[in-house]
Amino acid sequence: MLAPYACLPEASRGRRHDEGMSTFRSPFQRDRDRIIHSSAFRRLKHKTQVFIEHEGDYYRTRLTHSIEVAQVARTISGVLGLNTDLAECVALAHDLGHTPFGHTGEDALARLMEPYGGFDHNAQALRIVTKLERHYAGFDGLNLTWESLEGIAKHNGPVTGPFADKKHEGPLPYALAEVNADWDLELDTHASAEAQVAAIADDVAYSHHDLHDGLRSGLFTEEDLMELPVTAPAFEEVDRLYPGLEKMRRRHEALRRVFGRMVEDVIHVAQNRLEAAQPKSVDDIRHMGTTIIRFSKPLYQELKAVRSFLFHRMYRAPSVVKMRTEVTAMLDDLFPLFLRRPELLPEEWLSDIEAATDDKQLARIVADYVAGMTDRFAIQEHGRLFG
């Protein structure tokens, strides 16, 4: 039984292009399946999470990260009586707009696109699912439900209005503005609880797996984690229960306890907040003026210390910074070249290029192409075009 504040499939606001109901699947299950079968989702297999895709087969990619986020989202939403299919859908789609080379690639493309309206990976995900995926005869994009589009747009909170984060000040990213102009996503309200679950599942997943990948890479050690909140108690418990445990098992046992604590904390806080607020519908969730799904204040503060550690020891490690410099230079070469010589783009892009009426439209087409590249394809293209 779904809670009264869950997104009910039968109450969906529908799709931009009417298709009728599926015989076997709910609207949100259908959305999820379309995302999984999309070209953009497959390309996440070869896109950076932290380490460049070719640096090793062990490290997470955007695809494995998205799958882990979806697993966490299903668990939390199931306990809370939410619609697990919608939570999974938003989780699987949340990184579709990422460039090659992770946030480094996004920073580079945002800088290069600054004269043409900028670039934002969340807005780009909407552009992908509403325009760039072109497989269906009746429409561009995936024709997702309003609730799925809302979740992609607002899973991190309102984008406009009094409750929006200050980082959203200024004009809307063009990709988001275009979608919202076509179909009002109510950007000044919070998203559904399912979308909020997907957002916090993202935090849980990367906080957990970045510790795993950082240890595997040798950028820090278990002894370093014994100095941090959250991780130190987990290792101490494992050492008490399993003295002398082999290194890799000890690591896994400790970090799965960190993972479990985060998930349990989110569930406990959400249950308390929902009990206090007594929302009667999903619209009550949207208009609460605050998020209903969050970490407790004590755990949030402890995780800030862990993230600060990861920032300095992993995200800004000399080897990672060196690679950041190299891949930024690649995009600084590729984007201007394609802008000068758009005929270098594949044949299926040429009709869009011919239809562009000004430099801004052309730049956005080039940005769509570059953002869609995988790490290894961008490296290969740079080698082919620049030697």
Side-chain angles (χ1 to χ4, degrees):
M1 290 288 294
L2 293 180
Y5 44 79
C7 275
L8 305 177
E10 61 271 18
S12 169
R13 301 190 194 184
R15 306 177 187 277
R16 197 72 184 90
H17 305 276
D18 183 48
E19 298 182 67
M21 292 291 289
S22 169
T23 306
F24 306 109
R25 295 171 295 169
S26 77
F28 305 142
Q29 289 172 335
R30 204 175 187 186
D31 285 358
R32 175 202 60 205
D33 296 347
R34 287 184 176 182
I35 289 164
I36 289 173
H37 289 283
S38 68
S39 300
F41 187 73
R42 289 195 298 276
R43 288 197 298 269
L44 295 179
K45 177 183 178 183
H46 298 294
K47 290 197 177 191
T48 291
Q49 182 62 28
V50 174
F51 297 97
I52 304 303
E53 180 269 330
H54 71 275
E55 291 186 296
D57 292 337
Y58 177 86
Y59 304 119
R60 268 70 170 190
T61 65
R62 285 285 162 190
L63 180 64
T64 58
H65 165 71
S66 296
I67 293 170
E68 291 181 31
V69 174
Q71 178 270 313
V72 177
R74 286 193 68 91
T75 297
I76 296 173
S77 57
V79 174
L80 298 178
L82 300 173
N83 190 299
T84 56
D85 296 319
L86 178 58
E88 181 181 26
C89 175
V90 177
L92 291 172
H94 84 284
D95 269 354
L96 288 179
H98 257 294
T99 63
F101 314 127
H103 288 289
T104 301
E106 180 178 12
D107 292 343
L109 196 53
R111 173 174 45 79
L112 292 163
M113 279 292 292
E114 193 168 346
Y116 311 104
F119 179 87
D120 175 85
H121 81 268
N122 280 323
Q124 188 69 11
L126 278 173
R127 188 167 168 85
I128 287 168
V129 300
T130 59
K131 183 175 182 179
L132 299 182
E133 288 286 327
R134 296 175 179 173
H135 306 295
Y136 298 90
F139 47 81
D140 287 340
L142 304 180
N143 199 29
L144 302 181
T145 60
W146 185 92
E147 291 77 12
S148 292
L149 296 178
E150 178 210 28
I152 296 170
K154 302 189 303 188
H155 62 277
N156 287 322
V159 183
T160 64
F163 304 114
D165 191 294
K166 289 184 178 179
K167 69 182 180 182
H168 296 306
E169 289 179 352
L172 286 176
Y174 67 86
L176 176 56
E178 287 177 353
V179 174
N180 192 63
D182 184 57
W183 204 6
D184 183 7
L185 297 177
E186 300 175 4
L187 298 179
D188 60 338
T189 67
H190 285 271
S192 65
E194 287 85 354
Q196 294 182 37
V197 164
I200 205 137
D202 185 21
D203 292 345
V204 170
Y206 82 72
S207 296
H208 172 250
H209 63 52
D210 284 2
L211 290 169
H212 261 293
D213 287 356
L215 287 170
R216 180 77 178 195
S217 69
L219 293 176
F220 49 83
T221 67
E222 286 84 352
E223 286 67 35
D224 294 318
L225 299 187
M226 293 294 288
E227 304 298 321
L228 293 174
V230 185
T231 54
F235 277 99
E236 290 167 359
E237 181 181 1
V238 172
D239 291 341
R240 185 176 69 255
L241 295 174
Y242 307 101
L245 189 63
E246 182 264 324
K247 177 180 179 180
M248 297 301 289
R249 292 181 191 270
R250 176 176 179 257
R251 176 186 299 176
H252 179 79
E253 284 290 335
L255 292 185
R256 79 184 186 96
R257 282 165 170 77
V258 174
F259 181 86
R261 184 181 169 197
M262 288 189 286
V263 172
E264 290 169 6
D265 181 86
V266 169
I267 291 171
H268 179 70
V269 170
Q271 288 172 331
N272 288 341
R273 291 173 65 79
L274 288 165
E275 177 64 27
Q278 290 291 305
K280 300 297 190 294
S281 69
V282 63
D283 280 335
D284 285 351
I285 297 288
R286 292 186 176 111
H287 292 94
M288 284 184 65
T290 184
T291 53
I292 200 77
I293 311 295
R294 59 173 63 179
F295 292 114
S296 65
K297 289 182 179 178
L299 182 58
Y300 179 76
Q301 292 301 320
E302 292 179 357
L303 290 175
K304 281 180 67 176
V306 173
R307 289 165 185 164
S308 176
F309 171 84
L310 287 171
F311 180 85
H312 292 98
R313 296 294 297 272
M314 186 174 181
Y315 311 145
R316 292 297 181 268
S319 60
V320 175
V321 170
K322 179 176 182 293
M323 183 57 71
R324 283 170 59 92
T325 302
E326 293 175 3
V327 299
T328 296
M330 290 184 194
L331 296 186
D332 284 346
D333 288 340
L334 289 171
F335 181 86
L337 175 64
F338 292 139
L339 203 55
R340 290 194 311 271
R341 299 184 56 195
E343 70 276 7
L344 292 173
L345 270 63
E347 183 178 353
E348 60 265 29
W349 291 81
L350 298 185
S351 60
D352 283 346
I353 291 169
E354 291 169 358
T357 58
D358 56 32
D359 289 346
K360 181 177 287 188
Q361 287 188 14
L362 178 60
R364 290 175 178 179
I365 294 167
V366 172
D368 291 337
Y369 178 62
V370 173
M373 289 179 164
T374 63
D375 294 4
R376 63 181 181 180
F377 181 68
I379 293 169
Q380 289 169 359
E381 282 295 273
H382 188 269
R384 181 177 71 85
L385 295 168
F386 291 92

